[in-house]
């Protein structure tokens, strides 16, 4: 051990970064190196602590800001649908509901599609097509969210209003549960549209991470499976997915994180109405969209404080999602052993 | 294109606040008069060398900032009450007027072809009138062929002086509106979809078939939206135009409210446009920085005197001369520096 360190130091001594004069004095060089190490150590620790300080600062600011609203409304803030600036009565149900529903729609669409794209790219895709499709997916992730919002408002929503929604409303009218889910009138924009836009935005995250982990599956496993006569589906279901589940869950959580917090694109197409309705075509709102829309012009302390309280709730939701992800990964790793 | 305009305005704003120097007049508030304030400020700077740094952050923000004394003047589309003005020691006066127009998106309906009245618009926004072929609408438009199409009410999702004036009018037109929704810069809308800013409402109406919205007249005109005509308080059908806005303003009794806080909605008169709106300036009667307030008053006096044509070019309505004289008399008696000397005298 000792001699090893000595060796390293000697190597350093001989290296060109140390001047000849310094080389003469071993202890001076050692002191300088130790100092460099100390400074580097301090810097890295400082950077890490800064994150903690920032995080706790944000939490404290959110709690302080939310205190007037939570003090006034108490727990009913979480269960009240009204959002009335005139009578100063605020409740978070509509934004929470909108946030969860739009994210659920997004994940419901993005995860299966993303996994299929990833498997196609790694297993079935002809070589020359692989790169173009892969790059296209990554470009999708690079488009700023406001562009999705503009596209959603100007092109996607009018298209849905004209061609898709009237058809769905008529088609599902006689079917019990579905007729509530697809109830009119067709506005074009609404919670369903927001969910679809989110699905497109989340898709690249799920796809590129899944593709990377699928690529890491040892070929021998797949070849063995094919060798005993497995179909492609069976290889995907019983070999690739179990082997890569940790990575796939990571991609899922990353996507969910984006879906929960996405603001601009959602604001454009969700309709910004503080209502809870069963229909996917009805306008709704999400937590981040409400804050973005109303914060600058919120008059009165209670109004502003209620918006901050919404921010705190989003923070808690995100925290819970992350915690669940960690827990699932931990369980999977234990099972793997 | 709308977005390019917003980007330009934002850039100009950012730049102007960077370039602001100590001699500039600082103000913040309503977005609705921002285009005309910016134009006045530009011309004023060329003539006098004194610039204006105006942040169009919204009426609510303007009130907050003037109360926090971070700006020399605040601007708001929703007037403060006499009580509020007295408590905070602020003077309030109207600067310019404009109008709100309903806009619709209906196949085969051209600007000015559809006629609506206040109670019908209120019922649409209450969710009681749901389809374009509702008897309430067909009765006002016997010759028009209106489709059996769902009405999509579009309204502001942010707090807004425009919403304040619009809801004030609806409450005047239909008493039930006052009970169920109320009047404010932001309300709990029973139905409809929300969009941010005048631009947002304009874009949503333009892209949604069957939609109705309310925007400042300038936005309807610039975006070539289909505006409707309105039945006014006198029962006459009027089209939105400078003439009908001025008619509404002419009938207003400005001295009836403290701080000239007269809402111009639903004014009497055969020619009056029912959704005319004024926008106000807030100044301290005993400002900490008397010199800055004096400069601001000079700018406002110049705008009243020379800004009328520019305002009309941008579809605003200048204040009538009689009202301006009255306002300037108020300045010279109420706005004073620490020693009690008036900061403005009508002769200079």
């Amino acid at each position: 051990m000792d001699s090893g360190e000595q060796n390293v130091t000697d190597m350093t001594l001989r290296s060109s970064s140390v001047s000849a004069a310094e080389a003469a004095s071993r202890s001076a060089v050692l002191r300088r190196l130790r100092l460099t190490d100390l400074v580097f150590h301090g810097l890295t620790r400082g950077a890490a602590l800064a994150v903690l300080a920032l995080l706790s600062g944000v939490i404290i600011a959110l709690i302080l800001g939310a205190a007037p609203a939570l003090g006034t409304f108490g727990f009913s803030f979480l269960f009240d649908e009204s959002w009335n600036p005139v009578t100063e009565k605020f409740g978070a149900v509509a934004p929470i509901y909108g946030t969860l529903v739009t994210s659920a729609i997004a994940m419901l669409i993005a995860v299966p599609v993303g996994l299929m794209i990833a498997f196609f790219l790694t297993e079935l895709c002809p070589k020359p097509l692989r790169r173009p499709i892969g790059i296209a997916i990554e470009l999708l992730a690079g488009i700023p969210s406001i562009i999705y919002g503009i596209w959603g408002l100007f092109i996607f929503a009018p298209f849905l209003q004209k061609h898709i929604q009237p058809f769905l409303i008529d088609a599902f009218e006689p079917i019990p549960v579905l007729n509530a889910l697809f109830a009119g009138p067709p506005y074009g924009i609404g919670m369903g549209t927001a969910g679809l836009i989110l699905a497109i935005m989340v898709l690249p995250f799920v796809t590129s991470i899944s593709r990377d982990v699928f690529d890491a599956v040892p070929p021998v496993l797949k070849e063995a499976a094919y060798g005993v006569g497995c179909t492609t589906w069976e290889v995907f279901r019983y070999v690739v997915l179990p082997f890569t589940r940790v990575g796939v869950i990571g991609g899922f959580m990353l996507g969910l994180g984006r879906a929960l917090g996405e603001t601009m694109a959602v604001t454009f197409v969700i309709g910004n109405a503080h209502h809870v309705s069963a229909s996917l075509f009805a306008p709704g709102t999400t937590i981040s969209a409400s804050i973005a829309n109303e914060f600058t012009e919120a008059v009165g302390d209670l109004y502003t404080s209620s918006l901050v309280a919404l921010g705190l709730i989003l923070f808690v939701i995100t925290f819970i999602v992350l915690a669940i992800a960690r827990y699932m990964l931990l369980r999977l790793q234990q099972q793997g052993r | 294109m709308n977005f390019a305009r917003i980007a330009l305005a934002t850039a100009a704003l950012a730049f102007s606040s960077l370039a602001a120097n100590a001699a500039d007049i600082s103000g913040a508030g309503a977005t609705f008069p921002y285009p005309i304030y910016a134009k006045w400020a530009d011309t004023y700077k060329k003539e006098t060398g004194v610039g204006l740094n105006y942040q169009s952050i919204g009426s609510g923000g303007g009130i907050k900032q003037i109360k926090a004394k971070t700006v020399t003047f605040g601007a708001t589309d929703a007037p403060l009450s006499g009580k509020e003005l007295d408590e905070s020691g602020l003077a309030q006066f109207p600067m310019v007027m404009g109008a709100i127009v309903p806009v619709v998106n209906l196949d085969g309906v051209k600007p000015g072809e559809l006629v609506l009245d206040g109670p019908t618009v209120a019922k649409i926004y209450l969710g009681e009138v749901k389809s374009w072929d509702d008897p309430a609408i067909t009765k006002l438009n016997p010759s028009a062929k209106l489709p059996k199409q769902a009405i999509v009410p579009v309204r502001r999702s942010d707090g807004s002086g425009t919403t304040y004036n619009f809801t004030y009018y609806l409450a005047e037109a239909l008493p039930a509106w006052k009970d169920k929704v109320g009047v404010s810069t932001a309300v709990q809308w029973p139905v409809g979809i929300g969009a941010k800013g005048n631009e947002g409402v304009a874009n949503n109406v333009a892209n949604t078939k069957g939609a109705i919205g309310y925007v400042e007249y300038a936005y309807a005109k610039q975006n070539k939206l289909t505006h409707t005509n309105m039945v006014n308080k006198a029962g006459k059908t009027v089209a939105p135009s400078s003439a009908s806005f001025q008619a509404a303003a002419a009938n207003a009794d400005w001295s009836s409210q403290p701080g000239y806080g007269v809402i111009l909605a639903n004014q009497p008169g055969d020619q009056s446009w029912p959704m005319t709106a004024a926008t106000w300036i807030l100044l301290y009667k005993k400002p900490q920085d008397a010199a800055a307030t004096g400069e601001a008053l000079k700018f406002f006096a110049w705008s009243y005197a020379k800004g009328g044509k520019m305002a009309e070019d941008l579809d605003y309505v200048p204040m009538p001369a009689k009202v301006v004289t009255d306002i300037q008399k108020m300045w010279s008696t109420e706005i004073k520096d620490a020693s009690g000397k008036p900061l403005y005298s009508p002769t200079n």
Side-chain angles (χ1 to χ4, degrees):
Chain A
M1 189 73 192
D2 255 347
S3 66
E5 256 175 28
Q6 208 92 60
N7 249 338
V8 172
T9 321
D10 285 342
M11 289 282 287
T12 331
L13 274 180
R14 276 196 294 275
S15 81
S16 56
S17 72
V18 181
S19 70
E22 275 181 316
S25 156
R26 255 182 85 97
S27 67
V29 172
L30 279 175
R31 211 178 309 123
R32 195 172 68 97
L33 290 175
R34 207 172 298 130
L35 198 70
T36 327
D37 241 15
L38 223 62
V39 169
F40 185 65
H41 186 88
L43 277 177
T44 50
R45 188 171 56 185
L49 287 180
V51 171
L52 275 185
L54 268 177
L55 189 68
S56 39
V58 168
I59 296 174
I60 292 168
L62 279 176
I63 291 174
L64 285 182
L70 296 178
T72 309
F73 304 119
F75 270 106
S76 73
F77 188 71
L78 291 174
F79 306 108
D80 193 351
E81 194 196 330
S82 63
W83 188 267
N84 193 336
V86 181
T87 57
E88 298 221 300
K89 179 113 189 57
F90 300 103
V93 167
I96 293 175
Y97 176 78
T99 304
L100 296 180
V101 169
T102 49
S103 298
I105 297 172
M107 298 322 285
L108 227 57
I109 298 168
V111 168
V113 176
L115 287 180
M116 285 192 282
I117 296 173
F119 190 71
F120 179 76
L121 283 180
T122 50
E123 289 299 312
L124 309 170
C125 186
K127 271 262 160 61
L129 265 181
R130 246 180 232 195
R131 275 182 70 84
I133 297 181
I135 289 170
I137 297 281
E138 271 151 32
L139 278 179
L140 218 51
I143 298 173
S145 61
I146 187 114
I147 306 289
Y148 283 107
I150 293 171
W151 176 76
L153 175 63
F154 285 92
I155 294 161
F156 196 49
F159 173 78
L160 287 179
Q161 188 196 17
K162 203 163 174 204
H163 301 292
I164 309 289
Q165 291 186 345
F167 168 75
L168 287 177
I169 291 166
D170 288 345
F172 289 124
E173 214 188 336
I175 310 167
V177 176
L178 288 178
N179 64 6
L181 212 53
F182 298 100
Y187 282 178
I189 64 184
M191 287 203 291
T193 313
L196 287 174
I197 294 275
L198 278 179
I200 301 171
M201 299 178 70
V202 161
L203 188 64
F205 288 78
V206 178
T207 309
S208 58
I209 290 181
S210 312
R211 188 191 53 184
D212 290 349
V213 293
F214 288 175
D215 259 340
V217 177
V220 62
L221 288 182
K222 288 181 277 185
E223 279 157 20
Y226 284 124
V228 296
C230 284
T231 60
T232 324
W233 161 250
E234 283 165 339
V235 172
F236 175 66
R237 173 69 189 80
Y238 298 105
V239 177
V240 176
L241 260 193
F243 191 84
T244 58
R245 59 192 170 186
V246 172
V248 168
I249 288 173
F252 175 88
M253 287 301 166
L254 203 65
L256 185 57
R258 177 163 199 191
L260 285 173
E262 178 49 45
T263 310
M264 267 340 281
V266 173
T267 306
F268 269 74
V269 295
I270 198 165
N272 303 308
H274 285 269
H275 295 298
V276 174
S277 41
S279 172
L280 293 178
F281 297 160
T285 189
T286 68
I287 293 175
S288 49
S290 297
I291 298 174
N293 267 303
E294 297 169 38
F295 202 78
T296 45
E297 281 272 356
V299 185
D301 294 339
L302 208 54
Y303 194 174
T304 316
S305 171
S306 298
L307 288 169
V308 178
L310 281 185
L312 183 65
I313 291 171
L314 183 60
F315 195 94
V316 172
I317 292 177
T318 318
F319 180 80
I320 293 173
V321 166
L322 276 177
I324 292 175
R326 286 267 152 204
Y327 177 72
M328 280 174 76
L329 291 178
L330 210 70
R331 289 237 348 228
L332 284 177
Q333 275 161 359
Q334 278 166 354
Q335 279 173 13
R337 265 175 213 153
Chain B
M1 188 56 206
N2 226 334
F3 286 98
R5 223 181 50 234
I6 298 164
L8 261 178
T10 317
L13 203 67
F15 184 74
S16 67
S17 61
L18 275 179
N21 57 48
D24 282 356
I25 305 161
S26 71
T31 48
F32 146 59
Y34 174 63
I36 183 61
Y37 289 177
K39 186 155 188 198
W40 283 340
D42 193 42
T43 318
Y44 188 69
K45 172 129 191 164
K46 277 181 201 142
E47 283 190 19
T48 64
V50 178
L52 169 74
N53 172 24
Y54 183 75
Q55 308 161 32
S56 63
I57 51 173
S59 301
I63 295 170
K64 271 183 207 160
Q65 290 224 5
I66 185 71
K67 284 191 173 167
K69 303 188 179 172
T70 51
V71 287
T72 305
F73 72 89
T76 174
D77 298 339
L80 295 184
S81 66
K83 187 166 153 277
E84 261 182 294
L85 290 171
D86 289 343
E87 278 171 3
S88 51
L90 286 165
Q92 174 178 271
F93 53 89
M95 197 62 224
V96 70
M97 294 172 285
I100 300 160
V101 296
V103 287
V104 298
N105 181 346
L106 277 173
D107 285 332
V109 174
K110 290 191 192 64
E113 280 189 353
L114 198 70
V115 179
L116 294 171
D117 62 7
T120 308
V121 176
K123 280 177 192 159
I124 289 173
Y125 277 90
L126 279 175
E128 289 169 11
V129 171
K130 292 191 172 88
S131 174
W132 283 108
D133 61 353
D134 191 282
I137 301 173
T138 50
K139 204 175 72 199
L140 291 165
N141 301 278
S143 60
K145 265 198 166 165
L146 290 164
K148 184 176 166 53
Q149 187 170 22
I151 302 178
V152 185
V154 182
R155 39 76 181 179
R156 294 285 286 270
S157 59
D158 48 342
S160 150
T162 313
T163 299
Y164 179 87
N165 282 290
F166 184 66
T167 51
Y168 186 97
Y169 170 64
L170 296 186
E172 287 272 307
L174 189 77
W177 181 270
K178 204 163 201 163
D179 304 331
K180 289 180 185 161
V181 183
V183 178
S184 180
T185 52
V187 297
Q188 182 163 7
W189 298 93
V191 290
I193 54 185
K196 197 168 167 62
N198 271 303
E199 311 86 347
V201 172
N203 282 325
N204 267 286
V205 171
N207 285 293
T208 312
K209 286 270 171 269
I212 182 170
Y214 59 92
V215 291
E216 291 297 339
Y217 181 55
Y219 287 93
K221 211 170 154 182
Q222 282 158 7
N223 291 299
K224 298 192 172 57
L225 294 172
T226 308
H227 63 77
T228 72
N229 291 350
M230 289 293 295
V231 178
N232 64 15
K233 198 175 187 179
K236 300 279 193 292
T237 301
V238 285
S241 68
S242 295
S244 64
F245 306 158
Q246 259 155 5
N251 285 314
D253 181 10
W254 290 98
S255 55
S256 67
Q257 295 290 326
Y260 306 90
V262 177
I263 302 295
L264 295 172
N266 220 18
Q267 289 291 322
D270 284 358
Q271 303 297 319
S272 296
W273 179 252
M275 282 185 257
T276 311
T279 182
W280 288 265
I281 298 289
L282 296 167
L283 277 172
Y284 278 103
K285 287 179 178 173
K286 289 194 178 61
Q288 284 173 334
D289 186 349
T293 301
E295 284 296 327
L297 286 175
K298 265 191 223 160
F299 169 70
F300 295 136
W302 176 90
S303 302
Y304 281 139
K306 300 195 179 169
K309 176 76 177 63
M310 284 179 256
E312 278 171 9
D313 287 348
L314 290 175
D315 300 305
Y316 292 91
V317 182
M319 297 305 297
K322 198 165 67 74
V323 184
V324 171
T325 316
D326 199 39
I327 291 168
Q328 293 183 335
K329 208 157 73 196
M330 181 274 283
W331 290 355
S332 59
T333 55
E334 293 195 16
I335 302 178
K336 293 167 182 170
D337 66 9
S339 64
K341 190 170 152 285
L343 286 167
Y344 178 85
S345 63
T347 46
N348 69 1

